[in-house]
Amino acid sequence: MGMEDEIKRLIKVFLSILASLCYTYFIASKIPKGKLRFFSLLPIFCLFTILPLSLSTALPAGVIALFITWLGSFKLLLFSFGLGPLSSGPPLNSLLLFIFTTCLPIKAKQDGQHHHQIAPNHKTPQNPKLPLNLPTKVLLFGILVALTDFTKYVHPNILLAQYCCMLYLFVDIIVGLSNATMRALLGMQLESPSNEPYLSTSLQDFWGRRWNLMVTNTLRHTVHKPMRSAMETFLGPKWAPLPAVLAAFLVSGLMHELIFFFMTRVPPTWEVTWYFVLHGMCLVVEFGVKRALSGGRWQLHWIVSTPLTIVFVVVTATWLFFPPLVRNGVDARAIEECKELVEFMKEKLKWDGLHKI
């Protein structure tokens, strides 16, 4: 009964989002871009901010907070001023495409397009590929969820490292399913949600070119570019990207803090904000060191740099990112919710099969 109640709440949330985006598409889009359109969307921003509070389960609240409260609101913010994916070209004359583009972390692939990064220019060295397709990721995620039944036999730090893998797979599965849906319904070619982050050769490579590329793209246009333009007056074009990087990581940390609040319903401890601030500072230092050494052309071989990068990301995540979730039992709740959903779907399919007979 609890799962059915939560599904009813989710349906209400989806209907609220649908109504909001229909308003945006048919009314707000007719208002000239700029402050007037921004003010016309303020009620939508407020609604998107409180939507996750109507959900009682941690995982759906976190997904809605990421997709709608954060990414959706930032896309609408850009749209207010005629920028971003919602203002890019004739294809968004379709209401369905407008809704999908706002709600889902997707980005249309353009011919000849290359990934750009929040950090200053950085060329990724050639290294081996280990592509994982969507079915493989689903299988691996299922195995890792099953292994959580044996957490009492596992060292806590190993468990947190396992959560790092589960987080990567979960985000890629959700975004991969969104991409598959868009391809099936609209025939669009979409960018991959990530680019093998486990092969990152530096923090610049990890955050700018490989991990959660939709978030990277959104932060680039809403935070990094405006901050860089503002800082060029004081620091010049050479150094202006550095405070812009720090600002992007700070905003990312604060938005993750909000997502964690919706999942835990306890006041923030700011650990996750410090996680992103730390990575932003280290990325700036990394860039400065590379620039000082042969103008950025010198770099470690990937056999050395890749393990160093991944170890740093995982160790800092086990130190600052995951503890707020584990401390409040969100990890266990989210895993149980996954299992309950699977069982619920099995029961519904079984009942529907009997009903047809």
Side-chain angles (χ1 to χ4, degrees):
M1 188 64 180
M3 182 59 67
E4 290 183 358
D5 289 340
E6 186 68 358
I7 289 176
K8 291 178 181 177
R9 295 189 192 99
L10 274 171
I11 292 173
K12 291 180 181 178
V13 167
F14 291 146
L15 291 177
S16 299
I17 296 170
L18 182 61
S20 299
L21 296 181
C22 286
Y23 160 81
T24 303
Y25 184 80
F26 288 113
I27 298 178
S29 61
K30 304 301 185 291
I31 300 174
K33 62 183 179 182
K35 294 180 180 178
L36 193 58
R37 185 185 291 181
F38 171 76
F39 285 121
S40 73
L41 290 176
L42 280 179
I44 308 301
F45 294 136
C46 295
L47 175 63
F48 282 7
T49 301
I50 64 173
L51 273 180
L53 292 174
S54 60
L55 301 171
S56 60
T57 47
L59 207 54
V63 171
I64 294 296
L66 173 61
F67 285 11
I68 305 299
T69 305
W70 181 3
L71 295 181
S73 294
F74 276 38
K75 290 175 190 176
L76 290 180
L77 177 63
L78 290 171
F79 176 70
S80 299
F81 299 96
L83 303 170
L86 299 179
S87 301
S88 58
L92 290 184
N93 289 336
S94 161
L95 173 61
L96 185 62
L97 181 56
F98 184 88
I99 291 171
F100 277 129
T101 305
T102 306
C103 293
L104 300 177
I106 58 175
K107 186 174 186 293
K109 183 183 293 184
Q110 300 175 10
D111 293 335
Q113 183 178 17
H114 299 283
H115 291 308
H116 300 285
Q117 52 194 20
I118 291 177
N121 290 336
H122 168 68
K123 184 179 179 180
T124 304
Q126 295 296 319
N127 54 357
K129 297 292 184 181
L130 183 63
L132 299 176
N133 58 26
L134 185 58
T136 304
K137 292 174 183 176
V138 172
L139 176 61
L140 290 174
F141 183 75
I143 293 172
L144 291 175
V145 170
L147 289 176
T148 57
D149 291 337
F150 306 97
T151 53
K152 61 182 179 181
Y153 306 110
V154 178
H155 191 279
N157 289 337
I158 296 178
L159 180 62
L160 292 178
Q162 179 180 331
Y163 286 164
C164 290
C165 298
M166 292 174 68
L167 177 63
Y168 157 63
L169 292 170
F170 179 76
V171 171
D172 256 29
I173 289 170
I174 293 294
V175 181
L177 290 174
S178 302
N179 284 357
T181 301
M182 288 292 290
R183 282 193 293 268
L185 292 178
L186 301 173
M188 292 181 61
Q189 288 297 318
L190 302 168
E191 290 190 3
S192 299
S194 63
N195 181 25
E196 301 182 279
Y198 42 83
L199 296 180
S200 301
T201 57
S202 67
L203 290 178
Q204 287 177 258
D205 191 26
F206 180 84
W207 291 111
R209 290 174 174 266
R210 293 186 178 275
W211 170 248
N212 211 345
L213 298 176
M214 189 62 229
V215 170
T216 299
N217 184 66
T218 302
L219 287 171
R220 180 183 305 116
H221 292 288
T222 56
V223 181
H224 182 264
K225 284 187 176 179
M227 178 63 72
R228 185 182 62 191
S229 298
M231 288 293 103
E232 282 181 354
T233 305
F234 305 100
L235 301 176
K238 181 178 181 179
W239 297 106
L242 301 186
V245 168
L246 291 175
F249 274 88
L250 175 60
V251 170
S252 181
L254 294 174
M255 295 310 299
H256 278 84
E257 208 78 62
L258 182 62
I259 294 172
F260 279 27
F261 169 74
F262 287 132
M263 297 178 72
T264 63
R265 307 298 166 91
V266 298
T269 57
W270 308 111
E271 290 162 276
V272 69
T273 300
W274 278 112
Y275 171 79
F276 285 96
V277 170
L278 173 64
H279 275 253
M281 294 171 61
C282 290
L283 196 152
V284 167
V285 171
E286 177 185 272
F287 172 70
V289 170
K290 289 180 178 180
R291 174 168 286 184
L293 297 173
S294 305
R297 291 187 294 272
W298 181 87
Q299 52 193 4
L300 292 172
H301 193 277
W302 67 266
I303 292 178
V304 178
S305 60
T306 294
L308 287 176
T309 302
I310 300 306
V311 167
F312 180 78
V313 171
V314 172
V315 168
T316 52
T318 59
W319 172 35
L320 293 171
F321 188 89
F322 287 107
L325 298 177
V326 176
R327 189 165 53 243
N328 294 285
V330 173
D331 57 328
R333 285 167 50 199
I335 291 169
E336 287 302 316
E337 288 165 9
C338 287
K339 294 177 180 178
E340 287 179 13
L341 180 60
V342 171
E343 291 301 320
F344 177 79
M345 295 304 297
K346 285 181 179 178
E347 290 297 323
K348 293 296 290 183
L349 290 173
K350 186 186 300 183
W351 173 258
D352 289 343
L354 291 174
H355 185 71
K356 288 178 181 179
I357 294 174

